[in-house]
Amino acid sequence: MDLQSELLKSIWYAFTSLDVEQSGKVSKSQLKVLSHNLYTALNIPHDPVALEEHFKDNNNGPVSNQGYMPYLNKYILAKATEGTFSKETFDELCWTLTSKKNCKPSIQQGLCSQKDCFKLFCLFNLLSEDRYPLVIIQPELEYLLKKISSAMSLEWDGTLLEELLSQNVTLEDGMSVWEFLEHLSAGQLLHVESKEAFSLAVDDVFMEMYHNIIKKGYLLKKGHVRRNWQERWFVLKPSSVTYYVNEDLKEKKGEILLEESSVVENLPDKEGRRCLFCVKTPVRTYEMSASNVKQRVDWVQAMQTALRLRAEGKSSLHQELKLSRRKQREALQRSQSNQSSHSEPIAVEAPQHSAPEQQGETESLEQHIESIIQKQREVEAKRKEEEKQEREKQQAIQRDLERQLEEAKEAKEKMTVTLTAMEKEVQQQKKRIHELELTQVKLEEALNAQIHDRLEEDRIRQELERQLAEEQKKLAELLLHQSQLETLAVRSQEDSSTTTPPISQQTEESCQHNTEEVPLHESTSTATPPNIQQPEQSGQHNTERELLNQSTTTQMLKHWKIQLNRLMKPITPGDKVEHLPVKPTCPRQGQALTSTEFIAKVQTGISPEKGNGYNPSPTQEEEEQGS
């Protein structure tokens, strides 16, 4: 059915609502208002001059509907273009004009609301016959009732319709929209458990059949630029797939134009997504993900149906189904009319045949009719069986999906338990790692302290080694110096032994000389000149200087040896110095004489003759005393 025929059905309701007297005539002013509303609803520029010129010969009297049809076809329907206006808005305008007059209050007080009545009105016009007054025949009515029952997930029971038709025989030829709404709202055509469920079912059927929506719902779509997954509300039509932000259809995000070369394919699971499929078009490939396997199967089948309609050049699935059902009915009517036409010649020639032959022919005709009826019953039974098998198949698929859902829930619960255990173990491992880190920090601190102590010990040891090396160097220098002094002392003793006699001999000689020549000494001492005493004084000073140097060197050597022994062997708190017995330094009685006194005493007894070559040397006792 073309667009003009669909629009004309709704306009017919609006026109008849203006015909108050039901005479088929409407006043010119009412037609002007109706035409202006139609122009607005169809988005056509209004042309009031054309209306005036069309009815200029009949300004005073009424205008018939036959007279309005040429104007309607030429200036309104011919200018209407599909896609430039909202057909739902146009039908709502016609419904508003006609419902005020024809829709009874009992209809809205029953099962159907005002919105439900409008949607059923549109569905009625879609399935009604193309003759006026508009009616819907029994097969199309059954089809609509089955769709509504299926949307409510209920099985349709035809007993209510059969009872209604048996009670009112006039409805067998067709039912008007007002009779349809009245009986449906009264619950005489469907078993309805909930009014809300009925409204939802009517809305689903209305969107599917009226708006040519094959399927709609939420899907995950992969972006083309950002390549992320976003949830979108998809609406599938025979020519396109439109997706929105949500189901209120306010914000449109894109549209997939279906062409003859487009392909729908299933995809393997990837990127953590399941139930993937894609739509390949010449422009690009769209990847989508359904919520479960059943949804993916339904979407793939629906898109394949849309592609098939696109390839066949059909714009509406339900219009094509309606035409196919009508062709089947017309074929059945032709077959029945052919059977009736064959039976008429037999009835004309019946008087020429005998009664048995006529009876046999009648029986054969009845058998033929019975066979046709039986075939129809078999076809109906087969159709019901197929529907039953399809229903069982759907139920099996649903049970399988429910089972898979239960398995998925169990797997999810197990996974949750496993994740909980793993999280607990992870927390324990984190705690253990934290403890180990603290232990590592403490060990590092202890190791650093130990390293610091070791370095300090090494530093102290190196310092001690350095001091020891310095002391050893000093000791070596002292030993070298001592050896040099000893060498010098030996050399000086050798020199003194070779030049000067021993002190004992000099003393004895001096003593003898003093005892024997005392008078001479006394006489000559006063007469000794100063120049003779000077060599004696210089020799005396040299001897004293050598003795002092030797004693000082000996004391220094002893002191260094004591310091060296202290360095080589540390002193401990229990040590005691062993005191060696002191050997008497002078064998003489009384107090010992010092070297100076001894030398002065000796010098007094020296004769003048021996004074120049005298070089006294210390005795062994004096050396021991000095040391």
Side-chain angles (χ1 to χ4, degrees):
M1 185 171 58
D2 57 354
L3 179 62
Q4 293 185 2
S5 300
E6 294 180 5
L7 297 177
L8 191 58
K9 287 184 177 181
S10 300
I11 294 173
W12 180 81
Y13 283 104
F15 184 84
T16 55
S17 64
L18 298 177
D19 187 9
V20 181
E21 298 177 357
Q22 296 182 357
S23 60
K25 296 181 180 181
V26 180
S27 65
K28 185 177 180 180
S29 60
Q30 291 177 330
L31 289 177
K32 287 182 179 181
V33 175
L34 176 61
S35 300
H36 187 272
N37 291 331
L38 294 178
Y39 277 122
T40 304
L42 295 174
N43 197 16
I44 299 173
H46 182 52
D47 190 4
V49 178
L51 183 62
E52 294 292 341
E53 289 180 355
H54 184 72
F55 298 106
K56 63 182 178 180
D57 295 335
N58 193 1
N59 294 327
N60 298 323
V63 180
S64 64
N65 56 353
Q66 290 82 4
Y68 183 64
M69 280 302 299
Y71 173 81
L72 183 64
N73 290 327
K74 182 178 180 181
Y75 294 99
I76 298 178
L77 298 180
K79 295 180 180 181
T81 305
E82 188 174 3
T84 60
F85 65 95
S86 174
K87 189 174 183 301
E88 184 175 355
T89 304
F90 173 79
D91 288 336
E92 189 173 4
L93 169 65
C94 299
W95 163 257
T96 303
L97 294 175
T98 189
S99 62
K100 293 180 180 179
K101 176 182 176 182
N102 299 308
C103 189
K104 298 179 181 180
S106 60
I107 296 176
Q108 299 181 6
Q109 294 176 0
L111 184 63
C112 300
S113 63
Q114 181 70 19
K115 292 183 179 179
D116 295 337
C117 290
F118 166 68
K119 294 174 183 178
L120 292 171
F121 166 77
C122 296
L123 296 174
F124 180 91
N125 292 338
L126 178 65
L127 300 176
S128 63
E129 297 298 307
D130 297 334
R131 64 175 185 268
Y132 297 91
L134 295 174
V135 293
I136 184 171
I137 59 176
Q138 181 179 351
E140 298 296 329
L141 180 60
E142 291 179 358
Y143 178 79
L144 178 58
L145 295 176
K146 287 178 181 179
K147 294 289 291 185
I148 297 174
S149 299
S150 177
M152 290 189 296
S153 301
L154 297 175
E155 185 176 359
W156 180 70
D157 186 9
T159 56
L160 293 177
L161 180 60
E162 293 178 358
E163 291 177 359
L164 179 62
L165 295 178
S166 63
Q167 293 175 1
N168 193 348
V169 184
T170 57
L171 298 177
E172 292 181 357
D173 295 335
M175 188 181 299
S176 67
V177 64
W178 312 115
E179 292 173 341
F180 166 69
L181 292 176
E182 184 177 1
H183 293 304
L184 183 61
S185 182
Q188 297 177 356
L189 297 177
L190 284 175
H191 290 289
V192 179
E193 297 178 355
S194 173
K195 188 175 180 179
E196 290 77 10
F198 174 76
S199 297
L200 293 175
V202 170
D203 183 66
D204 289 340
V205 177
F206 174 75
M207 295 297 295
E208 177 184 351
M209 297 179 65
Y210 182 80
H211 288 285
N212 295 323
I213 294 177
I214 301 175
K215 189 171 179 59
K216 60 182 179 178
Y218 281 106
L219 289 174
L220 289 175
K221 176 186 168 295
K222 190 174 184 178
H224 180 59
V225 179
R226 298 179 62 185
R227 309 303 292 171
N228 58 341
W229 292 88
Q230 294 289 338
E231 189 178 41
R232 297 286 184 252
W233 176 262
F234 282 79
V235 178
L236 173 62
K237 293 185 178 181
S239 59
S240 64
V241 183
T242 310
Y243 49 95
Y244 303 85
V245 174
N246 47 37
E247 52 189 318
D248 59 5
L249 308 181
K250 291 182 180 180
E251 186 177 354
K252 181 179 177 180
K253 299 300 292 184
E255 186 176 11
I256 305 173
L257 297 178
L258 300 178
E259 300 180 5
E260 295 181 1
S261 59
S262 300
V263 179
V264 182
E265 295 179 353
N266 290 330
L267 294 177
D269 298 343
K270 63 180 181 178
E271 300 178 4
R273 302 289 177 181
R274 300 176 61 252
C275 306
L276 298 175
F277 65 97
C278 68
V279 179
K280 295 182 179 180
T281 64
V283 180
R284 55 173 284 200
T285 300
Y286 298 85
E287 296 184 15
M288 286 160 278
S289 173
S291 59
N292 52 50
V293 179
K294 182 178 181 301
Q295 287 291 329
R296 181 174 69 175
V297 172
D298 293 343
W299 274 101
V300 171
Q301 291 179 353
M303 289 187 178
Q304 290 175 349
T305 302
L307 292 174
R308 178 178 58 81
L309 292 173
R310 178 69 176 175
E312 295 175 358
K314 299 176 182 179
S315 60
S316 175
L317 175 63
H318 294 282
Q319 286 288 352
E320 298 300 326
L321 293 176
K322 176 187 173 181
L323 293 177
S324 63
R325 291 194 301 268
R326 182 178 295 177
K327 290 178 181 179
Q328 291 178 0
R329 290 195 301 268
E330 290 176 355
L332 181 61
Q333 290 176 1
R334 282 196 301 269
S335 64
Q336 292 179 356
S337 63
N338 291 332
Q339 292 175 4
S340 62
S341 63
H342 287 300
S343 64
E344 288 179 358
I346 295 174
V348 174
E349 296 176 357
Q352 299 177 1
H353 297 284
S354 59
E357 293 177 355
Q358 185 178 5
Q359 185 177 3
E361 291 175 357
T362 304
E363 290 178 356
S364 62
L365 182 60
E366 290 178 354
Q367 290 177 0
H368 182 67
I369 295 172
E370 185 67 25
S371 65
I372 293 174
I373 295 172
Q374 186 65 28
K375 288 181 180 179
Q376 293 293 330
R377 290 177 180 174
E378 289 177 358
V379 170
E380 186 68 21
K382 185 178 180 180
R383 184 180 61 81
K384 290 183 179 179
E385 184 67 23
E386 290 177 354
E387 290 180 354
K388 183 178 179 181
Q389 291 178 359
E390 184 67 22
R391 193 181 303 110
E392 291 177 353
K393 184 179 178 180
Q394 294 293 334
Q395 291 177 356
I397 293 174
Q398 185 176 1
R399 288 194 297 270
D400 189 16
L401 292 174
E402 290 176 354
R403 180 181 58 80
Q404 292 180 3
L405 182 62
E406 291 295 331
E407 292 177 355
K409 288 182 179 179
E410 293 178 358
K412 184 178 179 181
E413 292 177 355
K414 292 180 181 179
M415 184 63 69
T416 304
V417 173
T418 305
L419 289 175
T420 304
M422 292 177 67
E423 288 178 357
K424 186 176 180 181
E425 185 177 357
V426 166
Q427 294 296 331
Q428 293 178 355
Q429 292 294 334
K430 286 182 179 180
K431 185 177 179 180
R432 178 61 178 167
I433 290 171
H434 183 65
E435 293 176 354
L436 292 175
E437 289 177 351
L438 294 177
T439 306
Q440 182 181 2
V441 171
K442 293 180 180 179
L443 290 175
E444 289 178 353
E445 292 177 355
L447 180 60
N448 292 331
Q450 187 175 2
I451 291 172
H452 180 72
D453 295 340
R454 180 64 59 85
L455 292 175
E456 188 67 22
E457 290 178 359
D458 291 342
R459 187 183 63 79
I460 295 172
R461 180 177 57 79
Q462 292 175 359
E463 183 67 22
L464 292 175
E465 289 178 354
R466 185 182 62 80
Q467 293 179 1
L468 181 60
E470 292 177 355
E471 294 296 333
Q472 288 178 353
K473 184 177 180 182
K474 290 180 180 180
L475 178 60
E477 293 177 354
L478 291 174
L479 292 175
L480 179 60
H481 189 61
Q482 181 180 4
S483 63
Q484 292 176 357
L485 292 176
E486 289 177 353
T487 303
L488 293 173
V490 169
R491 288 179 181 177
S492 63
Q493 289 178 2
E494 290 178 354
D495 294 338
S496 61
S497 62
T498 55
T499 57
T500 305
I503 298 174
S504 60
Q505 294 178 2
Q506 293 178 1
T507 305
E508 290 176 358
E509 291 177 356
S510 64
C511 289
Q512 291 175 3
H513 183 72
N514 289 330
T515 56
E516 290 178 357
E517 299 179 355
V518 171
L520 182 62
H521 177 72
E522 290 178 356
S523 63
T524 59
S525 60
T526 58
T528 302
N531 55 357
I532 296 172
Q533 292 179 359
Q534 288 178 356
E536 293 177 359
Q537 292 178 358
S538 62
Q540 184 180 357
H541 287 297
N542 290 332
T543 303
E544 282 184 14
R545 190 181 298 110
E546 289 178 0
L547 290 173
L548 288 173
N549 291 334
Q550 188 175 1
S551 64
T552 304
T553 302
T554 305
Q555 289 178 0
M556 288 177 67
L557 287 174
K558 287 183 179 181
H559 178 71
W560 287 339
K561 286 181 181 180
I562 291 169
Q563 294 294 331
L564 181 61
N565 290 331
R566 288 178 181 176
L567 289 174
M568 297 302 293
K569 180 180 179 182
I571 298 173
T572 58
D575 295 340
K576 293 182 179 180
V577 180
E578 296 180 358
H579 298 280
L580 296 176
V582 180
K583 186 177 179 180
T585 57
C586 186
R588 295 185 184 135
Q589 294 180 359
Q591 189 176 2
L593 299 175
T594 62
S595 60
T596 306
E597 294 175 348
F598 176 76
I599 292 169
K601 187 176 181 181
V602 171
Q603 286 179 353
T604 56
I606 296 174
S607 61
E609 298 87 338
K610 297 180 181 180
N612 295 329
Y614 181 72
N615 189 10
S617 61
T619 62
Q620 187 176 359
E621 292 179 359
E622 289 176 348
E623 289 178 357
E624 289 178 357
Q625 184 178 1
S627 63

